[in-house]
Amino acid sequence: MHPTSAARAVHKPLIRFVGSRQSLWKSQPPHTGPHPLTPANLEKHVPKPEPVRAAAPTPIAPSSTAASNGAAIEMNQLPARYRRVPITEAEMEAVELGGASLTY
């Protein structure tokens, strides 16, 4: 028997965790407002939290009004510089053949 095998049998981790991990997942609402350590002279620059209200179901808006409120726009409404570049014949052929043997 090797003298080091007895030392290997008992392993004591170098890191100790103090306390229970249960307190990490409390069922409390998230913190809103300024950080508790925000200086008093900067608290006026932090926006005040709005009261939490029950969320009413919002109707789905048509795509024409969705672009006006900043939610989403359709692909055909994008400016030309943001549209996808059309796929060339060589690219289509490379995809259809697997693409491993063709370089372009």
Side-chain angles (χ1 to χ4, degrees):
M1 181 172 186
H2 298 288
T4 58
S5 64
R8 277 191 233 158
V10 178
H11 174 72
K12 184 177 180 185
L14 297 174
I15 299 173
R16 287 189 193 164
F17 295 100
V18 180
S20 172
R21 311 257 321 153
Q22 294 286 13
S23 63
L24 294 177
W25 294 280
K26 294 180 181 177
S27 60
Q28 294 179 353
H31 173 74
T32 58
H35 189 274
L37 298 178
T38 303
N41 62 342
L42 296 178
E43 283 186 11
K44 61 183 175 185
H45 299 292
V46 178
K48 302 293 181 206
E50 294 183 15
V52 179
R53 299 181 202 157
T58 57
I60 298 174
S63 62
S64 62
T65 59
S68 64
N69 67 8
I73 60 172
E74 299 293 327
M75 293 296 280
N76 61 356
Q77 295 174 337
L78 287 173
R81 64 181 176 184
Y82 296 121
R83 291 185 185 156
R84 291 179 181 243
V85 178
I87 297 176
T88 64
E89 289 291 326
E91 289 173 327
M92 282 194 283
E93 188 174 340
V95 168
E96 290 173 356
L97 295 176
S101 62
L102 298 175
T103 57
Y104 53 93

